[in-house]
Amino acid sequence: MSGDLYSLKNITRVFGRREVLSIDSLAMEPERIYGLLGPNGSGKTTLLKIQAFLDEPTTGAVSFAGREVARRDMAPLRSQVVWSPQFPVMFTGSLRYNIEYPMRIRGLEAAARRRRSMALLERVGLADLAEAPAHRLSGGEAQRASLARALAAGAKVLLLDEPTANVDVASRQGLIDLIGKLWRDQKLSIVITTHDHGLEAELCQKRLHLRDGKLVAVDEAVIHQAALSRQGGRVLVEMPKEAGAFSGALIIKELAEHNSSILIKLVSEDRRVLTVRVSGEPDFSTARQLTLDEPLFQNGSTTARP
């Protein structure tokens, strides 16, 4: 995809006499993770359904991948853009039947469907439940299954409505990690509505804030510039003051190249997330955790043991 993934101009959505959505202008880039934030009733799910081409605005224009979407275009686009609700609906039958459904309606032959469905279930960690009744899945399992079914449909855009709201604590982090991995591996575009601040901090690169159906703020995830260097087997960390204070163990959640630099996502013991763009060339290839010898404070430096 080139240019904007979505472009919304002067859209409203009215139910009866109530205007539930009114957005003058919104542009969203491809292959990014957006957080759609706001209190209940702010219009998040309404906007998500319009982006999923399951609903259309009362007034205004929606463009997708550079083309304005007319009503006749909506149904064909639903294989590219998949909405996963807070409580994913599973058909009667096995989990594998549910994953194969999008491929079945496209006419893929049975052996190919089975290979593809099993590969997707393996990818989301549900291969051992392939023949289990889909309606008996837990909340976390249903969310994983919903992701696999979206990929089976060939989706390049995932719209996730409160994906962790019905997931137990033990499964929550694994689901967040899976969404991040699928985004990286599949080059997906993802929009997430959530009240989960941990998910928002770990995944969302840009945040859209809605209130009373209006877009009131757009902000980007902060990436701090850090200088890292080796000193006698330890790492010297220098951070700007706006990064605030961190102490204790910092878990390395992600290490990735981005725009010719290295990004490291660190999670503190109190679950705060620190994303830094590093300079210098310390070797973190085998590190999973940094233990700070003293607090990492504003505009200062400390040493850390990988």
Side-chain angles (χ1 to χ4, degrees):
M1 294 180 188
S2 60
D4 291 330
L5 177 67
Y6 287 100
S7 177
L8 281 62
K9 298 290 186 183
N10 301 314
I11 70 163
T12 65
R13 186 64 176 100
V14 179
F15 294 102
R17 296 183 177 180
R18 183 178 171 225
E19 184 180 78
V20 298
L21 199 64
S22 177
I23 296 178
D24 295 334
S25 179
L26 173 61
M28 300 173 71
E29 302 167 61
E31 296 183 12
R32 299 194 72 182
I33 303 180
Y34 283 81
L36 192 53
L37 312 175
N40 291 336
S42 61
K44 300 188 302 295
T45 298
T46 300
L47 177 56
L48 220 59
K49 287 184 176 180
I50 289 173
Q51 291 180 306
F53 308 112
L54 297 171
D55 192 13
E56 59 183 327
T58 306
T59 62
V62 176
S63 295
F64 178 75
R67 294 183 59 186
E68 186 170 334
V69 178
R71 179 175 292 183
R72 66 179 178 274
D73 303 319
M74 292 172 64
L77 287 173
R78 289 173 195 153
S79 63
Q80 297 181 49
V81 182
V82 174
W83 173 56
S84 179
Q86 181 176 338
F87 301 98
V89 176
M90 293 290 148
F91 305 124
T92 301
S94 70
L95 174 56
R96 183 167 61 83
Y97 172 85
N98 276 261
I99 305 307
E100 289 185 9
Y101 182 79
M103 296 180 279
R104 184 178 292 106
I105 62 177
R106 293 208 311 268
L108 197 65
E109 58 97 14
R113 291 199 309 263
R114 184 181 182 90
R115 286 194 301 272
R116 175 72 171 151
S117 64
M118 291 306 299
L120 288 170
L121 287 171
E122 184 73 35
R123 182 153 210 167
V124 301
L126 296 177
D128 58 334
L129 296 177
E131 304 307 325
H135 68 277
R136 294 185 181 176
L137 297 175
S138 69
E141 290 165 348
Q143 287 291 347
R144 287 172 175 267
S146 182
L147 293 172
R149 189 166 59 187
L151 295 177
K156 295 299 290 181
V157 182
L158 300 183
L159 308 176
L160 309 180
D161 200 354
E162 297 284 356
T164 58
N166 194 39
V167 177
D168 61 62
V169 174
S171 303
R172 173 188 165 279
Q173 189 59 51
L175 179 60
I176 292 174
D177 292 344
L178 175 63
I179 293 170
K181 180 172 175 52
L182 292 176
W183 168 72
R184 289 189 300 274
D185 294 348
Q186 301 289 321
K187 299 187 183 302
L188 300 172
S189 303
I190 301 178
V191 183
I192 304 174
T193 72
T194 186
H195 291 93
D196 184 336
H197 296 301
L199 178 152
E200 171 198 335
E202 287 200 40
L203 290 180
C204 298
Q205 300 152 348
K206 203 161 190 175
R207 299 169 178 85
L208 311 176
H209 299 266
L210 292 181
R211 186 179 303 129
D212 297 326
K214 294 179 170 55
L215 183 65
V216 295
V218 179
D219 58 69
E220 300 230 20
V222 175
I223 299 178
H224 296 290
Q225 185 74 42
L228 306 183
S229 58
R230 289 281 185 185
Q231 285 194 356
R234 295 192 175 191
V235 179
L236 181 67
V237 185
E238 297 183 41
M239 294 291 296
K241 74 175 187 177
E242 59 267 22
F246 288 78
S247 61
L250 294 175
I251 307 298
I252 299 177
K253 287 289 297 180
E254 185 179 332
L255 227 161
E257 293 188 28
H258 181 71
N259 291 340
S260 301
S261 60
I262 302 297
L263 296 185
I264 300 180
K265 183 176 289 185
L266 303 168
V267 181
S268 68
E269 291 177 322
D270 61 1
R271 304 305 299 164
R272 287 182 299 150
V273 177
L274 176 67
T275 301
V276 300
R277 179 180 286 112
V278 305
S279 56
E281 298 182 356
D283 178 14
F284 284 99
S285 60
T286 60
R288 290 293 177 268
Q289 177 173 306
L290 301 178
T291 302
L292 302 180
D293 289 346
E294 58 187 82
L296 178 59
F297 275 109
Q298 53 205 40
N299 205 22
S301 63
T302 186
T303 54
R305 288 174 281 117

